[in-house]
Amino acid sequence: MIRRPPRSTLDRSSAASDVYKRQHECDAETLQVLERVKGEWEGRLQERELEFQRVLAEEQASSSVQIAQLREQYEMALENKLAEIQAELQGDIQKVKSENEQMKEFFEEKVKLSLIHISEPTRPY
């Protein structure tokens, strides 16, 4: 609450006037203290904000490194799986070729036997 000098004391040197003047001095000192405290808190907040930004940048960099490592691991696993599938397919292709060759030989033998039977003369009984 701000105190005002009484209206009955118009003299500037009265006790009430002195209280009023000191009140203004006190308010000026309080404002200076508040400004100083405000400046300190603003400085602290700026420091904290810079610290948070630094931590965030470090976390983002760390995350980027982790993502790159995961991507490399995924690509290696994918390449390994692809090589494994290709090897299996090569084995299957060789197996099919071998089976084809066996079937070809089997049918060629059957065709030869059929031709031999056809070319033999029939004998009357």
PDB file of all heavy atoms in Angstrom, residues 9-29:
ATOM      1  N   THR A   9      -0.575  18.710   5.696  1.00  0.00           N
ATOM      2  CA  THR A   9       0.832  19.093   5.752  1.00  0.00           C
ATOM      3  C   THR A   9       1.305  19.437   4.366  1.00  0.00           C
ATOM      4  O   THR A   9       1.647  18.564   3.567  1.00  0.00           O
ATOM      5  CB  THR A   9       1.681  17.960   6.329  1.00  0.00           C
ATOM      6  OG1 THR A   9       1.486  16.825   5.535  1.00  0.00           O
ATOM      7  CG2 THR A   9       1.330  17.671   7.768  1.00  0.00           C
ATOM      8  N   LEU A  10       1.307  20.687   4.061  1.00  0.00           N
ATOM      9  CA  LEU A  10       1.749  21.121   2.747  1.00  0.00           C
ATOM     10  C   LEU A  10       3.243  21.419   2.742  1.00  0.00           C
ATOM     11  O   LEU A  10       3.837  21.599   1.691  1.00  0.00           O
ATOM     12  CB  LEU A  10       0.975  22.369   2.322  1.00  0.00           C
ATOM     13  CG  LEU A  10      -0.536  22.138   2.155  1.00  0.00           C
ATOM     14  CD1 LEU A  10      -1.213  23.453   1.835  1.00  0.00           C
ATOM     15  CD2 LEU A  10      -0.794  21.132   1.066  1.00  0.00           C
ATOM     16  N   ASP A  11       3.814  21.496   3.938  1.00  0.00           N
ATOM     17  CA  ASP A  11       5.234  21.797   4.043  1.00  0.00           C
ATOM     18  C   ASP A  11       6.033  20.597   3.564  1.00  0.00           C
ATOM     19  O   ASP A  11       5.814  19.470   3.969  1.00  0.00           O
ATOM     20  CB  ASP A  11       5.565  22.136   5.502  1.00  0.00           C
ATOM     21  CG  ASP A  11       7.005  22.564   5.650  1.00  0.00           C
ATOM     22  OD1 ASP A  11       7.637  22.893   4.612  1.00  0.00           O
ATOM     23  OD2 ASP A  11       7.499  22.560   6.782  1.00  0.00           O
ATOM     24  N   ARG A  12       7.009  20.856   2.727  1.00  0.00           N
ATOM     25  CA  ARG A  12       7.800  19.765   2.157  1.00  0.00           C
ATOM     26  C   ARG A  12       8.758  19.163   3.167  1.00  0.00           C
ATOM     27  O   ARG A  12       9.306  18.105   2.925  1.00  0.00           O
ATOM     28  CB  ARG A  12       8.581  20.269   0.949  1.00  0.00           C
ATOM     29  CG  ARG A  12       7.657  20.783  -0.133  1.00  0.00           C
ATOM     30  CD  ARG A  12       8.277  20.427  -1.469  1.00  0.00           C
ATOM     31  NE  ARG A  12       7.475  20.993  -2.548  1.00  0.00           N
ATOM     32  CZ  ARG A  12       6.591  20.299  -3.244  1.00  0.00           C
ATOM     33  NH1 ARG A  12       6.417  19.047  -2.986  1.00  0.00           N
ATOM     34  NH2 ARG A  12       5.906  20.860  -4.205  1.00  0.00           N
ATOM     35  N   SER A  13       8.987  19.766   4.241  1.00  0.00           N
ATOM     36  CA  SER A  13       9.934  19.228   5.208  1.00  0.00           C
ATOM     37  C   SER A  13       9.244  18.556   6.381  1.00  0.00           C
ATOM     38  O   SER A  13       9.867  18.236   7.367  1.00  0.00           O
ATOM     39  CB  SER A  13      10.830  20.350   5.728  1.00  0.00           C
ATOM     40  OG  SER A  13      10.037  21.299   6.415  1.00  0.00           O
ATOM     41  N   SER A  14       7.984  18.335   6.299  1.00  0.00           N
ATOM     42  CA  SER A  14       7.280  17.684   7.410  1.00  0.00           C
ATOM     43  C   SER A  14       7.656  16.216   7.479  1.00  0.00           C
ATOM     44  O   SER A  14       8.185  15.641   6.530  1.00  0.00           O
ATOM     45  CB  SER A  14       5.770  17.835   7.236  1.00  0.00           C
ATOM     46  OG  SER A  14       5.362  17.045   6.125  1.00  0.00           O
ATOM     47  N   ALA A  15       7.390  15.580   8.597  1.00  0.00           N
ATOM     48  CA  ALA A  15       7.711  14.169   8.798  1.00  0.00           C
ATOM     49  C   ALA A  15       6.945  13.297   7.816  1.00  0.00           C
ATOM     50  O   ALA A  15       7.480  12.332   7.264  1.00  0.00           O
ATOM     51  CB  ALA A  15       7.387  13.776  10.229  1.00  0.00           C
ATOM     52  N   ALA A  16       5.671  13.634   7.599  1.00  0.00           N
ATOM     53  CA  ALA A  16       4.872  12.851   6.657  1.00  0.00           C
ATOM     54  C   ALA A  16       5.457  12.961   5.260  1.00  0.00           C
ATOM     55  O   ALA A  16       5.510  11.991   4.496  1.00  0.00           O
ATOM     56  CB  ALA A  16       3.432  13.326   6.677  1.00  0.00           C
ATOM     57  N   SER A  17       5.937  14.124   4.908  1.00  0.00           N
ATOM     58  CA  SER A  17       6.531  14.312   3.594  1.00  0.00           C
ATOM     59  C   SER A  17       7.809  13.498   3.475  1.00  0.00           C
ATOM     60  O   SER A  17       8.095  12.919   2.433  1.00  0.00           O
ATOM     61  CB  SER A  17       6.818  15.791   3.382  1.00  0.00           C
ATOM     62  OG  SER A  17       7.392  15.982   2.124  1.00  0.00           O
ATOM     63  N   ASP A  18       8.585  13.412   4.577  1.00  0.00           N
ATOM     64  CA  ASP A  18       9.816  12.616   4.561  1.00  0.00           C
ATOM     65  C   ASP A  18       9.498  11.138   4.337  1.00  0.00           C
ATOM     66  O   ASP A  18      10.178  10.448   3.585  1.00  0.00           O
ATOM     67  CB  ASP A  18      10.579  12.794   5.876  1.00  0.00           C
ATOM     68  CG  ASP A  18      11.214  14.178   5.998  1.00  0.00           C
ATOM     69  OD1 ASP A  18      11.306  14.856   4.945  1.00  0.00           O
ATOM     70  OD2 ASP A  18      11.605  14.548   7.116  1.00  0.00           O
ATOM     71  N   VAL A  19       8.448  10.661   4.987  1.00  0.00           N
ATOM     72  CA  VAL A  19       8.044   9.259   4.798  1.00  0.00           C
ATOM     73  C   VAL A  19       7.671   9.015   3.340  1.00  0.00           C
ATOM     74  O   VAL A  19       8.040   8.014   2.725  1.00  0.00           O
ATOM     75  CB  VAL A  19       6.864   8.898   5.742  1.00  0.00           C
ATOM     76  CG1 VAL A  19       6.258   7.559   5.366  1.00  0.00           C
ATOM     77  CG2 VAL A  19       7.333   8.885   7.182  1.00  0.00           C
ATOM     78  N   TYR A  20       6.956   9.965   2.792  1.00  0.00           N
ATOM     79  CA  TYR A  20       6.522   9.854   1.396  1.00  0.00           C
ATOM     80  C   TYR A  20       7.735   9.816   0.472  1.00  0.00           C
ATOM     81  O   TYR A  20       7.804   9.020  -0.456  1.00  0.00           O
ATOM     82  CB  TYR A  20       5.591  11.020   1.071  1.00  0.00           C
ATOM     83  CG  TYR A  20       5.030  10.984  -0.328  1.00  0.00           C
ATOM     84  CD1 TYR A  20       4.144   9.990  -0.721  1.00  0.00           C
ATOM     85  CD2 TYR A  20       5.392  11.956  -1.260  1.00  0.00           C
ATOM     86  CE1 TYR A  20       3.621   9.951  -2.001  1.00  0.00           C
ATOM     87  CE2 TYR A  20       4.874  11.940  -2.540  1.00  0.00           C
ATOM     88  CZ  TYR A  20       4.001  10.930  -2.898  1.00  0.00           C
ATOM     89  OH  TYR A  20       3.476  10.909  -4.161  1.00  0.00           O
ATOM     90  N   LYS A  21       8.725  10.672   0.740  1.00  0.00           N
ATOM     91  CA  LYS A  21       9.922  10.708  -0.096  1.00  0.00           C
ATOM     92  C   LYS A  21      10.701   9.391   0.034  1.00  0.00           C
ATOM     93  O   LYS A  21      11.194   8.851  -0.952  1.00  0.00           O
ATOM     94  CB  LYS A  21      10.813  11.884   0.303  1.00  0.00           C
ATOM     95  CG  LYS A  21      10.283  13.222  -0.127  1.00  0.00           C
ATOM     96  CD  LYS A  21      11.205  14.320   0.367  1.00  0.00           C
ATOM     97  CE  LYS A  21      10.612  15.689   0.088  1.00  0.00           C
ATOM     98  NZ  LYS A  21      11.401  16.756   0.710  1.00  0.00           N
ATOM     99  N   ARG A  22      10.833   8.914   1.293  1.00  0.00           N
ATOM    100  CA  ARG A  22      11.564   7.662   1.507  1.00  0.00           C
ATOM    101  C   ARG A  22      10.851   6.498   0.819  1.00  0.00           C
ATOM    102  O   ARG A  22      11.466   5.559   0.352  1.00  0.00           O
ATOM    103  CB  ARG A  22      11.703   7.380   3.006  1.00  0.00           C
ATOM    104  CG  ARG A  22      12.942   8.043   3.579  1.00  0.00           C
ATOM    105  CD  ARG A  22      13.114   7.700   5.026  1.00  0.00           C
ATOM    106  NE  ARG A  22      12.278   8.641   5.779  1.00  0.00           N
ATOM    107  CZ  ARG A  22      11.600   8.347   6.880  1.00  0.00           C
ATOM    108  NH1 ARG A  22      11.682   7.144   7.393  1.00  0.00           N
ATOM    109  NH2 ARG A  22      10.855   9.216   7.475  1.00  0.00           N
ATOM    110  N   GLN A  23       9.540   6.584   0.791  1.00  0.00           N
ATOM    111  CA  GLN A  23       8.756   5.540   0.136  1.00  0.00           C
ATOM    112  C   GLN A  23       9.136   5.479  -1.334  1.00  0.00           C
ATOM    113  O   GLN A  23       9.304   4.400  -1.891  1.00  0.00           O
ATOM    114  CB  GLN A  23       7.270   5.837   0.306  1.00  0.00           C
ATOM    115  CG  GLN A  23       6.369   4.747  -0.190  1.00  0.00           C
ATOM    116  CD  GLN A  23       4.913   5.060   0.113  1.00  0.00           C
ATOM    117  OE1 GLN A  23       4.601   6.063   0.751  1.00  0.00           O
ATOM    118  NE2 GLN A  23       4.044   4.221  -0.354  1.00  0.00           N
ATOM    119  N   HIS A  24       9.288   6.624  -1.972  1.00  0.00           N
ATOM    120  CA  HIS A  24       9.703   6.647  -3.380  1.00  0.00           C
ATOM    121  C   HIS A  24      11.113   6.126  -3.545  1.00  0.00           C
ATOM    122  O   HIS A  24      11.411   5.407  -4.493  1.00  0.00           O
ATOM    123  CB  HIS A  24       9.584   8.070  -3.958  1.00  0.00           C
ATOM    124  CG  HIS A  24       8.183   8.455  -4.276  1.00  0.00           C
ATOM    125  ND1 HIS A  24       7.465   7.891  -5.277  1.00  0.00           N
ATOM    126  CD2 HIS A  24       7.357   9.375  -3.700  1.00  0.00           C
ATOM    127  CE1 HIS A  24       6.255   8.412  -5.327  1.00  0.00           C
ATOM    128  NE2 HIS A  24       6.162   9.334  -4.368  1.00  0.00           N
ATOM    129  N   GLU A  25      12.006   6.462  -2.613  1.00  0.00           N
ATOM    130  CA  GLU A  25      13.368   5.954  -2.662  1.00  0.00           C
ATOM    131  C   GLU A  25      13.359   4.431  -2.519  1.00  0.00           C
ATOM    132  O   GLU A  25      14.075   3.728  -3.214  1.00  0.00           O
ATOM    133  CB  GLU A  25      14.215   6.587  -1.560  1.00  0.00           C
ATOM    134  CG  GLU A  25      14.506   8.043  -1.775  1.00  0.00           C
ATOM    135  CD  GLU A  25      15.175   8.677  -0.560  1.00  0.00           C
ATOM    136  OE1 GLU A  25      15.531   7.936   0.384  1.00  0.00           O
ATOM    137  OE2 GLU A  25      15.348   9.897  -0.570  1.00  0.00           O
ATOM    138  N   CYS A  26      12.552   3.943  -1.597  1.00  0.00           N
ATOM    139  CA  CYS A  26      12.442   2.509  -1.370  1.00  0.00           C
ATOM    140  C   CYS A  26      11.889   1.825  -2.613  1.00  0.00           C
ATOM    141  O   CYS A  26      12.374   0.774  -3.022  1.00  0.00           O
ATOM    142  CB  CYS A  26      11.551   2.238  -0.163  1.00  0.00           C
ATOM    143  SG  CYS A  26      11.424   0.468   0.235  1.00  0.00           S
ATOM    144  N   ASP A  27      10.894   2.431  -3.217  1.00  0.00           N
ATOM    145  CA  ASP A  27      10.329   1.857  -4.436  1.00  0.00           C
ATOM    146  C   ASP A  27      11.363   1.821  -5.550  1.00  0.00           C
ATOM    147  O   ASP A  27      11.448   0.851  -6.303  1.00  0.00           O
ATOM    148  CB  ASP A  27       9.103   2.648  -4.884  1.00  0.00           C
ATOM    149  CG  ASP A  27       7.903   2.409  -3.990  1.00  0.00           C
ATOM    150  OD1 ASP A  27       7.933   1.415  -3.235  1.00  0.00           O
ATOM    151  OD2 ASP A  27       6.939   3.200  -4.053  1.00  0.00           O
ATOM    152  N   ALA A  28      12.189   2.837  -5.653  1.00  0.00           N
ATOM    153  CA  ALA A  28      13.238   2.864  -6.669  1.00  0.00           C
ATOM    154  C   ALA A  28      14.256   1.769  -6.394  1.00  0.00           C
ATOM    155  O   ALA A  28      14.708   1.066  -7.303  1.00  0.00           O
ATOM    156  CB  ALA A  28      13.902   4.228  -6.710  1.00  0.00           C
ATOM    157  N   GLU A  29      14.629   1.593  -5.108  1.00  0.00           N
ATOM    158  CA  GLU A  29      15.558   0.523  -4.748  1.00  0.00           C
ATOM    159  C   GLU A  29      14.938  -0.837  -5.035  1.00  0.00           C
ATOM    160  O   GLU A  29      15.610  -1.744  -5.555  1.00  0.00           O
ATOM    161  CB  GLU A  29      15.923   0.621  -3.263  1.00  0.00           C
ATOM    162  CG  GLU A  29      16.816   1.778  -2.922  1.00  0.00           C
ATOM    163  CD  GLU A  29      17.067   1.879  -1.427  1.00  0.00           C
ATOM    164  OE1 GLU A  29      16.862   0.865  -0.711  1.00  0.00           O
ATOM    165  OE2 GLU A  29      17.470   2.966  -0.985  1.00  0.00           O
TER     166      GLU A  29
END
